[in-house]
Amino acid sequence: MRATCWMGRNTVEVENVPDPRLLNERDAIVRVTSTAICGSDLHLYDGYVPTMKKGDILGHEFMGEVVEVGKGVTNLREGDRVVVPFPIACGACNACAREQYSLCENSNPNARLAEKLFGFPTAGIFGYSHLTGGFAGGQAEYVRVPFADVGPLKIENDLPDEVLLFLTDVFPTGFMGAELCDIQPGDVVAVWGAGPVGQFAAASARLLGAERVIVIDRFEYRLDVAERQGSETLNYERVDGVPEALKELTGGRGPDACIDAVGLEAHFHGPAYAYDRVKQALRQETERPIALREAIMSVRSGGTVSIMGVYGGLMDKFPIGAVMNRGLTIRSGQCHVHRYLRPLLQRIEDGEIDPSFIVTHRMKLSDAPKGYELFKHKQDDCLKVVLSP
Ligand code: NAD
Ligand code: ZN
Ligand code: ZN
């Protein structure tokens, strides 16, 4: 089959690779009909996630048709149309019992590696380095889906792929980001990053009752999308300090909750950014945590900072004094996608949201290298690339 392979920093190639086979009774093989490139893939592309190997198959946002199931999968059949969550979860361990699927204790065969870096292991993830299991991803014609009796959601409507595809990751991720803010009526929520995750965090904050949502980025075309969806916007290149601008917009108090939908590759200007860039380049810190620091400094006292942007290890200059003295709550996580699949599908079917508003580019799988470049450099007003094999 054809698959998008990581070939080194800033290089992906669509290669011929062996077709996946059932390895366990609870596996299924899915023929991919649509797959997308995620901001998380950019962290791999840019070489910031350790343990990638040349030839690794990328992709964790995919849906398609079941073509084969193992004996242990009784809830799916050949021909079923499914959406597959990006974390791999067994459905039976302590974490899964708590619906914390991205922390599944049984799905990461390289748990030892993750344990070293994070203290405890995390779940397996499709196409996301050997730290999360080294599973082949879904930017391919076919994928092996482990624990297929737990993850995939069978689709029984005839909505198009691009309306459903984002249930695999960015819609639930944005939703969880907003849910962690414990939004109360009248709340103001600020969102750093107007990428797909930020767009869904903003939309979800509104669904959950926020009165005002303010989205921060530097790309006007992305801010325009947020504005059309009902958010206020702030271009961080056009203000003197984001925390100051947010204070101004909120009567001096600051937003009730702040969502970081940027992660470890934040961009900025000035000496503080130069400091992080140099330290990250020298591998003396893993992050450029500009958005996270700003979120902490901006949120009202007693408020919540929800971190959905991905971080890899250790950051410098973490404002712990602000967190402690102002009684802030920090919440975070890789999304527990399984938990959100049905409720969010329901919201789509009820017409509350049409997630396809983020799609700007539709390409063939063979154009994946071009898709990565466009999305990385935010060229041609790119917000989300969907690939079809
Ligand atoms: P993206 O690259 O499309 O969007 C990131 C946006 O952040 C860009 O528009 C960029 O201009 C903006 N940005 C950069 N620096 C900024 C700053 N200082 N202030 C404000 N905005 C800034 O990526 P995406 O697909 O939206 O993903 C965003 C993040 O979410 C990534 O880190 C990704 O890995 C992460 N993610 C996490 C999960 C999860 O489960 N927690 C799931 C999916 C994605
Ligand atoms: Zn993703
Ligand atoms: Zn589990």
Side-chain angles (χ1 to χ4, degrees):
M1 67 161 181
R2 307 284 290 162
T4 308
C5 299
W6 187 91
M7 302 305 278
R9 249 183 126 160
N10 291 313
T11 317
V12 301
E13 279 165 25
V14 180
E15 301 271 315
N16 284 320
V17 302
D19 286 357
R21 294 182 296 115
L22 296 177
L23 297 180
N24 295 300
E25 289 193 347
R26 293 169 70 190
D27 288 351
I29 304 293
V30 170
R31 181 180 65 80
V32 176
T33 52
S34 295
T35 174
I37 305 174
C38 178
S40 299
D41 294 323
L42 294 181
H43 305 321
L44 307 177
Y45 189 61
D46 296 340
Y48 288 116
V49 180
T51 75
M52 287 299 290
K53 293 186 189 154
K54 190 172 176 194
D56 283 349
I57 300 174
L58 294 168
H60 58 269
E61 302 182 357
F62 59 92
M63 61 180 295
E65 186 195 325
V66 175
V67 291
E68 211 182 337
V69 293
K71 278 202 293 283
V73 184
T74 51
N75 57 321
L76 294 177
R77 274 197 273 176
E78 222 181 288
D80 283 348
R81 187 179 182 216
V82 289
V83 160
V84 182
F86 78 80
I88 301 169
C90 77
C93 70
N94 183 57
C96 287
R98 294 171 194 267
E99 298 195 297
Q100 293 175 327
Y101 297 98
S102 70
L103 304 174
C104 175
E105 295 163 347
N106 285 327
S107 61
N108 185 350
N110 298 333
R112 281 281 175 79
L113 271 179
E115 207 170 40
K116 255 195 205 138
L117 201 60
F118 302 138
F120 288 90
T122 54
I125 296 180
F126 291 100
Y128 210 71
S129 87
H130 292 264
L131 205 55
T132 61
F135 291 96
Q139 288 164 11
E141 287 180 293
Y142 296 91
V143 201
R144 178 177 75 95
V145 177
F147 299 123
D149 53 329
V150 178
L153 175 70
K154 185 171 162 183
I155 300 294
E156 321 220 43
N157 60 44
D158 49 17
L159 292 169
D161 276 16
E162 64 180 48
V163 174
L164 301 166
L165 177 61
F166 306 118
L167 284 169
T168 60
D169 180 350
V170 285
F171 180 19
T173 296
F175 192 88
M176 176 164 141
E179 197 181 65
L180 294 180
C181 295
D182 194 15
I183 294 168
Q184 304 297 313
D187 274 2
V188 183
V189 177
V191 180
W192 275 253
V197 173
Q199 300 286 350
F200 283 116
S204 303
R206 268 190 305 280
L207 287 174
L208 293 173
E211 187 165 299
R212 291 172 63 200
V213 180
I214 306 167
V215 177
I216 305 146
D217 204 300
R218 81 179 197 280
F219 291 104
E220 282 297 330
Y221 76 91
R222 290 182 165 217
L223 292 173
D224 287 347
V225 175
E227 211 163 283
R228 279 199 296 279
Q229 295 291 316
S231 294
E232 298 165 53
T233 58
L234 199 61
N235 186 325
Y236 66 77
E237 290 191 324
R238 301 202 183 150
V239 294
D240 276 340
V242 172
E244 293 74 14
L246 286 171
K247 226 177 234 180
E248 189 91 350
L249 285 168
T250 53
R253 188 177 288 144
D256 299 285
C258 290
I259 303 175
D260 170 354
V262 177
L264 64 91
E265 291 186 74
H267 155 274
F268 209 66
H269 43 259
Y273 177 63
Y275 169 89
D276 284 313
R277 257 211 101 96
V278 170
K279 286 211 70 164
Q280 190 186 43
L282 296 173
R283 300 295 190 263
Q284 290 179 351
E285 67 171 334
T286 41
E287 338 289 351
R288 302 200 300 261
I290 293 102
L292 176 55
R293 287 194 202 108
E294 279 185 357
I296 292 171
M297 297 311 284
S298 302
V299 73
R300 78 158 158 77
S301 291
T304 298
V305 174
S306 161
I307 310 174
M308 297 319 285
V310 162
Y311 291 92
L314 302 170
M315 73 178 265
D316 274 23
K317 304 209 182 307
F318 180 79
I320 186 65
V323 174
M324 190 273 151
N325 289 289
R326 298 203 293 113
L328 307 185
T329 299
I330 296 190
R331 302 186 73 185
S332 188
Q334 294 280 4
C335 184
H336 306 301
V337 178
H338 303 55
R339 188 206 286 179
Y340 298 98
L341 283 177
R342 282 173 200 285
L344 294 186
L345 175 64
Q346 191 64 49
R347 285 183 189 263
I348 295 173
E349 290 179 341
D350 290 348
E352 286 181 40
I353 185 165
D354 174 356
S356 65
F357 76 90
I358 60 166
V359 181
T360 52
H361 291 73
R362 300 164 182 86
M363 297 181 178
K364 296 308 278 175
L365 181 68
S366 51
D367 289 327
K370 188 175 155 208
Y372 270 84
E373 277 296 290
L374 283 179
F375 183 51
K376 168 175 170 150
H377 298 291
K378 308 334 186 204
Q379 288 161 347
D380 193 27
D381 289 359
C382 183
L383 178 55
K384 192 74 171 174
V385 181
V386 175
L387 304 167
S388 42

